[in-house]
Amino acid sequence: MLTLILILLPLAFSLILPVLKGEKEIRIVALTGTVAEFGVAMAALIQYVTSCHCQLMFTADWLATLGVGLTFSMDGISLPLVLLTVFLLPVIVLFSFSHHYRRPAAFYSLVLLMEMALIGVFTAADGLMFYIFWELTLIPAWFICAVWGGNDRIRITFKFFIYTFAGSLLMLLALIYIYFRTPLPHSFDFRVLYIAVLSPAEQTWLFLAFFLAFAIKIPIFPFHTWQPETYTEAPAEGSMLLAGIMLKMGIYGLIRLLIPICHLAFQQWGEIVMILSITGIVYASLIAIRQEDMKQLVAYSSIAHVGLIAAGVFALNLHGLQGSVIQMLSHGINIVGIFIIIDLIQQRTGSRNIADLGGIARKAPRLAVFFMIILLASIALPLTNGFVGEFLLLLGVFEYNHLYAAAAGLTIIFSAVYMMWMYQRVMFGDTTPMTEHITDLNNREMAALIPLVAVIFWIGVAPGFFMDIIWPDAVRVLALFNM
Amino acid sequence: MTTILSLTLLGVLVLLLGILKKKTLQLPLILVGLLTALALTISDWNTARHLFNEMLIIDNTAVAFSAVLIFSTFLIFMFAAHYYQGVQRPLDDIYAIMIFALVGAVLMTSYGNLIMLFIGIETLSIALYVLAGSHKEAITSNEATLKYFLLGSFLSGFLLFGIALIYGASGSFSLHGIQLFVIANGQNLPPMFLAGLFLLIVGLAFKIAVVPFHFWAPDVYEGTPTLLTAFMATVVKTASVVAMYRFFSHTFYGIYGVWETTIWVLAALTILLGNFTGVYQPNLKRMLAYSSISHSGYMLLAVVAFSPFTGNALLLYSLTYSVATILAFGILILVREANGNDYFTSLNGIARTNPVEAFCLTIAMLSLAGIPPLAGFMGKYFLFTTALEQGLLWLVIIAITGSAISISYYFKPIVAMYLKENEGGKLNSGVPFKAHLIFLTLLLFLLGILPFLVIGLL
């Protein structure tokens, strides 16, 4: 029941919002909605942990005769992602108060609709529901990026939409195909999809369809071309939703569908997708070093980071899987933090070009400290969340193949290079005319950043809480793979 | 039977009111009459009957699709008051002819005899030739009617020739009689019979606007008065697809292998060409014309995926397609009225001046593109499922490619409305018009979230 409330609550708020007038009122309601959602998720978490990992299943008939049910549940893989979503949304909404967007009601309504769709994707336990919510995320994401985005937004958001829509149609095709291979009566329930009888040849093709859909979303090299442009042109909140949460849908899909269903195809494709992921890490890192636009730099660094997460998933061992879930949390939190800081700098100075900036640390020490912590987390310093995830991921890849792990390990060195170099040029040195009058963080901005930093250290120092939630289901996924 | 009688009576009554010069009573009468006819149609549910020596077969398929046709016509008539406001000349002829066209369409869903099919098609077509030219002062309307009439009558000849050849080979006009002939000669059908079947397919493909028999559609759609284009794009298309589905499912079931490839190729061509060409259209009306062409391809997908579920999939698809298309045409009426043209630039910035209309058109476009949770997605989903169940993997892949392409033109109006600056055009719609638009929008949500209201009926 809690799962259903989690889905319906943001929807209800997103339907209320367009009725309201007055920016202040709208903001309060939007924030209330996301905070209330967080509260419900906490209740779900408590229930999950105390009642020994019951799945919080909700089931209702929808197209019962055709084997489609309104089935939603949470297990150790989806719960962390749900928590990530409900945790980041209030932060994003709180941060967004520093902008004065035109038509705020529509904006926050779309943000909450997006939250609902994301929760739906992470909790769906039925293939068709998964697809419906998956597509549903695309509409608010497109509108947020297209209406409130930068100058070149029309062309770029269009590319983004076409790319991801084409990918997800392939997923729909694959899902229906598998549906007809399930034992009679056919069903879309994940548990039934997992036992579909598929020949190795069929799995090969299904693997490609699923992989393309997910690889575009994640994005894995060479399907990433929509991503840097979209992040750059999207409004800050749009980039946060895309990079922080939405791309996790792709990795979640890998774990939830690709691995259990197409396990035979990994003999043929496993090596190739692993190489693609690792190529993406090195390639994107090298490009990131040369970026002048901070947002673009972060966009490329994100490709590198998620490349490592994907590599950890494809390593198909316990460390890799656990690491990927933990790192999904960490990456979401860190990248939202970085986007917040970049946008704050841009609001104050009017630029996010590294060349225009300098000497901010002296003028705005609090900003510098927060930026430093989040950057260090992002380059995986011990005691931060990034370290836990990347360590496990590298361990997983190492168990798969030593050489690949060595290549993937470059990500840590590279990310230190581009992140620290950026930090050095932006925060230290002489002030420029643009940064001369920069002001430090105000209380609202601190309120948005402090929870992020708290979680960075929490996961970094005591990851056990999340590891305990994740591991039974990571084991289950691997059992399905080895079936 | 009651459907056809009540609709004909309604048409005559409308003409009568025209003679009595009771102009204000016409539309209310039509709307009430259509609802009555709808109720009468639905009361025939589960009373499978044959009439006039199997001239008509009133089975559930016929009832369900007749209901869709009448409902679509009702939805279109809801726009009529606004569309024809300020027109001084009497409109009873246009209204009555639309209703007579609907009678033809209903015949096409319930025929049991190829002669009846031909009568249905001709009733529909001749009415449409008149309707296409009903805007007498406009040169485009004249062009449309001439084009449609010349090509249409030519292709009707194909159809009749096909029927004659089938009769010559099998000695029967009735679906049942031909079916017996097919069963008896399943392995070695005479070439004459096959030629007849092929001509029959061509004749109907023209009416549905299937590639390569689609060239008339964009021009005729563009020239025809918008309200009547909506009628062409929905009622006529649904009726023709159902007519095709009916004789394949009743009669030519046994020789699936003979016609499968033909329909397969037609469907693939229609989906690909319709969608590709749609991308390059400069205005909303032509874009909707190509959208309707590509949707005929999807409907053929259901016909070629021949399974017991086809009827259901087709029913939901035609209903969702009709509702979304009528909604889009409703906005188109407003756009043309406000700007005198319907180039995409006329839609610029509408979202700010007319948020309700912009939202409705967005939902219509997203539904046509097949984005969940809207009705269009459920329609496409069931089509694809039916087709995949029959192993038509490649055709579904083509259909999916087409869907991906279609995004690029369905998004054009959305981009114009939300992302471009307004150039002064504001749409003027009254409260009833707006209420109808919202009703159609809600219908799209309803059918998308509760598809089982329709699916599983047949």
Side-chain angles (χ1 to χ4, degrees), chain B residues 29 59 135 142-143 235 240 252 311 316 333 344 356 389 416-417:
Chain B
L29 175 78
D59 54 6
H135 192 198
N142 284 297
E143 183 202 336
V235 175
S240 313
F252 301 107
L316 182 68
I333 288 173
F344 288 119
V356 175
E389 194 174 15
M417 289 188 300

Side-chain angles (χ1 to χ4, degrees), chain B residues 64-275:
Chain B
F65 282 106
S66 302
V68 170
L69 296 175
I70 297 170
F71 184 59
S72 305
T73 315
F74 173 79
L75 295 178
I76 293 169
F77 265 110
M78 294 286 280
F79 288 130
H82 183 91
Y83 184 71
Y84 284 118
Q85 76 187 15
V87 174
Q88 292 305 318
R89 71 181 186 81
L91 293 163
D92 42 303
D93 50 349
I94 295 180
Y95 292 159
I97 291 172
M98 266 174 94
I99 293 166
F100 291 140
L102 177 62
V103 175
V106 169
L107 281 179
M108 287 165 76
T109 64
S110 40
Y111 68 93
N113 189 303
L114 290 184
I115 290 296
M116 213 60 201
L117 168 67
F118 187 71
I119 291 176
I121 288 183
E122 284 306 289
T123 313
L124 179 72
S125 303
I126 292 171
L128 281 177
Y129 304 147
V130 180
L131 289 177
S134 65
H135 192 198
K136 281 177 287 197
E137 301 80 14
I139 185 96
T140 47
S141 184
N142 284 297
E143 183 202 336
T145 188
L146 192 65
K147 235 177 207 166
Y148 196 31
F149 174 66
L150 285 178
L151 281 171
S153 48
F154 188 57
L155 267 293
S156 287
F158 270 60
L159 192 76
L160 198 57
F161 195 30
I163 293 175
L165 286 178
I166 289 177
Y167 176 72
S170 67
S172 172
F173 283 123
S174 89
L175 291 184
H176 189 64
I178 301 167
Q179 188 179 23
L180 291 178
F181 175 80
V182 169
I183 292 169
N185 302 287
Q187 297 309 314
N188 45 355
L189 288 164
M192 186 159 81
F193 184 87
L194 296 178
L197 177 59
F198 184 70
L199 288 175
L200 200 60
I201 292 175
V202 170
L204 276 174
F206 171 80
K207 293 287 170 218
I208 312 175
V210 166
V211 176
F213 310 105
H214 69 290
F215 290 102
W216 61 275
D219 292 344
V220 172
Y221 278 25
E222 199 177 15
T224 306
T226 310
L227 188 75
L228 305 167
T229 319
F231 188 77
M232 277 185 184
T234 55
V235 175
V236 178
K237 191 172 297 272
T238 308
S240 313
V241 174
V242 175
M244 190 181 253
Y245 163 67
R246 217 171 152 78
F247 70 68
F248 280 138
S249 65
H250 272 73
T251 312
F252 301 107
Y253 178 63
I255 48 166
Y256 178 71
V258 172
W259 52 268
E260 182 203 3
T261 318
T262 314
I263 304 293
W264 197 103
V265 172
L266 287 180
L269 278 179
T270 310
I271 291 171
L272 286 180
L273 240 84
N275 280 320

Side-chain angles (χ1 to χ4, degrees), chain A residues 127-451:
Chain A
L128 196 65
M129 280 299 132
F130 179 79
Y131 176 79
I132 287 177
F133 281 105
W134 174 282
E135 285 288 40
L136 195 57
T137 57
L138 205 49
I139 301 296
W142 182 83
F143 270 102
I144 290 172
C145 297
V147 177
W148 291 274
N151 294 328
D152 199 15
R153 59 189 197 268
I154 294 178
R155 183 182 68 81
I156 283 165
T157 52
F158 182 66
K159 182 174 168 183
F160 155 68
F161 196 97
I162 283 274
Y163 236 102
T164 44
F165 186 69
S168 35
L169 279 175
L170 285 174
M171 179 172 77
L172 177 65
L173 180 70
L175 280 172
I176 301 176
Y177 192 90
I178 299 165
Y179 167 79
F180 283 116
R181 291 287 183 281
T182 55
L184 282 169
H186 298 314
S187 167
F188 270 110
D189 194 303
F190 279 159
R191 288 162 300 183
V192 184
L193 290 182
Y194 293 160
I195 53 167
V197 184
L198 297 160
S199 72
E202 285 172 322
Q203 291 203 8
T204 306
W205 289 106
L206 292 170
F207 184 98
L208 287 184
F210 275 134
F211 178 75
L212 217 61
F214 299 142
I216 290 171
K217 204 74 150 194
I218 293 175
I220 292 178
F221 173 85
F223 307 103
H224 65 280
T225 52
W226 63 269
Q227 190 250 35
E229 289 179 326
T230 311
Y231 284 12
T232 320
E233 286 299 316
E237 293 79 9
S239 318
M240 291 174 203
L241 286 170
L242 286 179
I245 314 172
M246 202 169 159
L247 65 80
K248 273 72 183 180
M249 284 164 44
I251 296 167
Y252 178 74
L254 292 179
I255 300 174
R256 187 60 82 202
L257 289 171
L258 188 73
I259 293 178
I261 292 176
C262 304
H263 47 101
L264 294 177
F266 271 90
Q267 283 184 348
Q268 189 176 350
W269 297 109
E271 192 91 13
I272 294 171
V273 292
M274 179 65 113
I275 291 171
L276 280 183
S277 308
I278 290 172
T279 315
I281 297 174
V282 179
Y283 170 83
S285 300
L286 288 174
I287 294 181
I289 295 175
R290 298 300 313 160
Q291 293 307 311
E292 279 299 310
D293 181 331
M294 285 161 83
K295 226 173 162 185
Q296 199 123 29
L297 188 149
V298 175
Y300 279 105
S301 89
S302 172
I303 298 177
H305 283 130
V306 294
L308 181 60
I309 302 180
V313 173
F314 292 133
L316 291 165
N317 51 45
L318 195 56
H319 289 127
L321 271 184
Q322 271 186 308
S324 67
V325 180
I326 287 273
Q327 184 63 7
M328 276 196 264
L329 291 181
S330 311
H331 178 261
I333 289 162
N334 299 343
I335 199 159
V336 166
I338 296 179
F339 275 136
I340 288 180
I341 302 269
I342 292 178
D343 200 68
L344 291 179
I345 292 176
Q346 193 185 0
Q347 280 172 34
R348 286 163 161 75
T349 64
S351 169
R352 53 169 195 255
N353 256 339
I354 296 176
D356 295 339
L357 305 169
I360 295 178
R362 216 172 319 145
K363 298 274 178 189
R366 274 182 289 182
L367 182 81
V369 170
F370 276 108
F371 199 8
M372 193 71 208
I373 294 171
I374 295 168
L375 272 194
L376 290 177
S378 155
I379 60 179
L381 201 77
L383 295 185
T384 62
N385 58 359
F387 175 74
V388 181
E390 296 214 342
F391 178 77
L392 282 169
L393 286 170
L394 287 173
L395 191 60
V397 179
F398 186 78
E399 286 166 17
Y400 180 84
N401 183 322
H402 298 353
L403 212 62
Y404 293 164
L410 290 174
T411 177
I412 295 191
I413 301 167
F414 279 134
S415 69
V417 171
Y418 54 74
M419 288 294 188
M420 297 322 275
W421 195 33
M422 169 178 81
Y423 191 82
Q424 184 200 345
R425 284 181 292 167
V426 171
M427 302 313 266
F428 300 135
D430 295 326
T431 52
T432 65
M434 284 181 142
T435 57
E436 238 163 38
H437 303 292
I438 194 165
T439 49
D440 210 346
L441 298 178
N442 64 28
N443 287 339
R444 186 176 38 72
E445 289 156 355
M446 299 265 282
L449 285 168
I450 286 171

Side-chain angles (χ1 to χ4, degrees), chain B residues 2 29 36 55 150 174 240 243 276 294 296 301 358 417-418 432 450:
Chain B
T2 45
L29 175 78
T36 317
M55 276 289 182
L150 285 178
S174 89
S240 313
F276 267 123
S294 66
S296 356
L301 181 73
M417 289 188 300
Y418 284 93
L450 308 172

Side-chain angles (χ1 to χ4, degrees), chain A residues 62-63 66 102-103 128 131-132 135-136 139 142-143 146-147 153-154 158 161-162 165 169 173 176 180 188, chain B residues 352 371-373 377-378 381-382 385 388-389 396-397 400 403-404 407-408 411 415 419-420 449 451-452:
Chain A
W62 190 49
L63 289 168
L66 301 169
R102 60 199 161 86
R103 282 183 282 166
L128 196 65
Y131 176 79
I132 287 177
E135 285 288 40
L136 195 57
I139 301 296
W142 182 83
F143 270 102
V147 177
R153 59 189 197 268
I154 294 178
F158 182 66
F161 196 97
I162 283 274
F165 186 69
L169 279 175
L173 180 70
I176 301 176
F180 283 116
F188 270 110
Chain B
R352 212 151 311 151
I371 302 227
F377 166 71
M378 283 331 285
Y381 164 73
F382 285 111
T385 323
L388 270 183
E389 194 174 15
V396 175
I397 290 177
I400 277 179
S403 287
I407 285 288
S408 53
F411 260 63
V415 167
L419 306 186
K420 302 269 172 73
I449 294 166
F452 44 79

Side-chain angles (χ1 to χ4, degrees), chain B residues 8-23:
Chain B
T8 316
L9 196 67
L10 179 64
V12 175
L13 275 178
V14 171
L15 285 176
L16 215 64
L17 280 182
I19 296 171
L20 299 173
K21 303 231 184 314
K22 299 262 194 258
K23 210 174 164 187

